[in-house]
Amino acid sequence: MYLTLDLQSDVPIYQQIRDRVVEQIAMGEARRGDPLPSTRQLAADFGVNFHTVNKAYDLLRQEGIIRINRKSGAVVHKDQHLGHPVDDAFVRAWRDRLRVLLAEATVQGVHHQDVLVHCAELLGTFKAGEDT
Amino acid sequence: MYLTLDLQSDVPIYQQIRDRVVEQIAMGEARRGDPLPSTRQLAADFGVNFHTVNKAYDLLRQEGIIRINRKSGAVVHKDQHLGHPVDDAFVRAWRDRLRVLLAEATVQGVHHQDVLVHCAELLGTFKAGEDT
Amino acid sequence: MYLTLDLQSDVPIYQQIRDRVVEQIAMGEARRGDPLPSTRQLAADFGVNFHTVNKAYDLLRQEGIIRINRKSGAVVHKDQHLGHPVDDAFVRAWRDRLRVLLAEATVQGVHHQDVLVHCAELLGTFKAGEDT
Amino acid sequence: MYLTLDLQSDVPIYQQIRDRVVEQIAMGEARRGDPLPSTRQLAADFGVNFHTVNKAYDLLRQEGIIRINRKSGAVVHKDQHLGHPVDDAFVRAWRDRLRVLLAEATVQGVHHQDVLVHCAELLGTFKAGEDT
DNA sequence: GTGGTCTAGACCACG
DNA sequence: GTGGTCTAGACCACA
């Protein structure tokens, strides 16, 4: 699993790590049961603090996306093929964030049709994982 | 313009104010030239400090969404009818944020079709403003 | 004397009026003894408050650029042909402001040669007045 | 980086701080990657509130002159050696401010030749940084 | 009336 | 350690 970070970004590093992991899973690059790099390994690769990676993994654990075992380290727990019912609370909060994002694009002059194209394109990159 | 805040949320208050204003403009509730409440008025309404509102307005000003006059206060400057060219840098950054959001939904098991339905529904609430 | 204002600018209106008058005099459009529009006239033309124009004229008076008589109104008092000695205090303060302006251009990547070209060009538009 | 302020000046303190930083960078005293003092450190040195320094740094960040990291604080991001293309909008606004400044000098009787000498002298103090 | 500036101090997030 | 957020209140500038 290759992750890329931007240490200059104003997005917190732990958030970036978490985001990249989510994207990798969505793209099908990592599936249920697959192991994640060890926190120390990742921290060394990126040259960031060990606690920072830890925080990212803890976030993912709280979201139910990964499981952390003392022995085997972190493994992917949730992916798009799991078939579990979608959490209503998640959808509500997610939709709220989506509304803001779409509102921004609308105000900045992006046509609604183009917005949908962007969505479809991005979902397409995740679809590939679905077919596997 | 009616705005609602959640003072308990972990989203900064100034960010929430900014988000609500963007949504209102996207929904066509406020259009180019329409005045926004004065910072101190809005602060009093929400029971927050006027500096917090100030920061939200300053953010919107930096995004080119509102203009601030010493005399008449803040007025809407950008809406979906402006016909201005869309900033490429904005689209790139916006798409990156959209990717993360869509990846989250995918990982949590939301079907791609449902994601598109959510997008279309939300855009529909903005479309109303376009028809006016 | 034709003046143009930008009511949307973040530059105070009284400052803009003062700046435009200074530019007109520098360009030779108005010379020592020439009358300025009455404050009430200018206020009506621009649709701004009478006190705002008054403040601009007062600034110019303090700078020794115009004289204000109750009878004849405001008249230009200083122009580039006056031949009076240049005030040292003015030059020092002026140079400080110039330093900041030139530093900005330098940091933003404008070549020093281009800076000098800009200066020469602008001075050229004032030179025309000198020849008159 | 040594900066000097005039707390009695009518120029806002945060603006003075911003100006001094720009001058230091233009003079080559601080270059791309060099760290700036922490906001609270600088505030303590000047005897001003840290919010004031914060505002100055935020201004510089918006201008793309510095970058702010949560970890290492603020570092210089732009200097005259960067070789980036010059922003047209910046040049237009900058030239407008230059016009006013040159008009003032002209009206006050400074000869055009002397104005150019002042410009060349000041640019020379920045040139030193270029040669390094 | 409006927004802008500055101060002072508390608390949190990040690394 | 760093910066970010929020509060509270004072005073000034602008129109």
Side-chain angles (χ1 to χ4, degrees), chain B residues 12-14 48-52 55 70-71:
Chain B
I13 296 174
Y14 79 93
V48 301
N49 191 278
F50 89 89
H51 283 121
T52 306
K55 184 160 187 174
R70 253 175 277 262
K71 187 162 107 183

Side-chain angles (χ1 to χ4, degrees), chain C residues 6-9 15 27 43 47 64 67 72 90 101 117 119 132:
Chain C
D6 176 7
L7 298 181
Q8 305 304 318
S9 167
Q15 182 76 45
M27 290 168 68
R67 287 265 167 121
S72 51
F90 166 78
L101 206 56
V117 168
C119 290
T132 306

Side-chain angles (χ1 to χ4, degrees), chain C:
Chain C
M1 182 183 292
Y2 291 111
L3 309 178
T4 58
L5 297 186
D6 176 7
L7 298 181
Q8 305 304 318
S9 167
D10 56 342
V11 178
I13 294 175
Y14 81 94
Q15 182 76 45
Q16 289 187 54
I17 295 175
R18 177 266 183 195
D19 290 347
R20 291 303 89 74
V21 170
V22 170
E23 286 174 0
Q24 291 291 314
I25 298 175
M27 290 168 68
E29 298 291 323
R31 307 187 58 163
R32 183 176 169 87
D34 287 353
L36 268 65
S38 79
T39 51
R40 292 166 198 282
Q41 181 62 47
L42 216 52
D45 289 351
F46 288 139
V48 301
N49 195 296
F50 155 77
H51 294 294
T52 305
V53 180
N54 232 332
K55 186 161 186 174
Y57 277 21
D58 194 52
L59 245 185
L60 289 162
R61 186 188 56 73
Q62 286 175 38
E63 296 179 278
I65 296 174
I66 67 172
R67 287 265 167 121
I68 301 180
N69 299 315
R70 200 158 303 182
K71 277 174 56 178
S72 51
V75 297
V76 176
H77 179 67
K78 216 182 243 178
D79 66 15
Q80 51 191 307
H81 311 293
L82 191 51
H84 55 77
V86 181
D87 182 22
D88 257 6
F90 166 78
V91 173
R92 272 195 301 275
W94 178 82
R95 191 182 159 106
D96 282 344
R97 286 189 292 152
L98 181 62
R99 177 186 292 113
V100 175
L101 206 56
L102 298 185
E104 281 184 48
T106 299
V107 170
Q108 294 291 347
V110 183
H111 292 139
H112 290 172
Q113 190 177 342
D114 293 338
V115 169
L116 288 173
V117 168
H118 277 293
C119 290
E121 279 180 9
L122 291 169
L123 288 174
T125 66
F126 303 152
K127 189 92 178 182
E130 230 171 37
D131 295 337
T132 306

Side-chain angles (χ1 to χ4, degrees), chain A residues 70-84:
Chain A
R70 198 157 307 185
K71 274 174 58 180
S72 50
V75 297
V76 177
H77 179 67
K78 217 181 242 179
D79 67 16
Q80 54 191 304
H81 311 293
L82 190 52
H84 56 79

Side-chain angles (χ1 to χ4, degrees), chain B residues 33-41 53-54 57-58 61 65-77, chain C residues 7-10:
Chain B
D34 288 353
L36 269 66
S38 79
T39 52
R40 284 168 166 85
Q41 181 61 49
V53 180
N54 225 334
Y57 278 21
D58 196 53
R61 184 185 58 73
I65 296 174
I66 68 172
R67 287 243 171 161
I68 298 178
N69 300 315
R70 253 175 277 262
K71 187 162 107 183
S72 49
V75 298
V76 176
H77 180 68
Chain C
L7 298 181
Q8 305 304 318
S9 167
D10 56 342

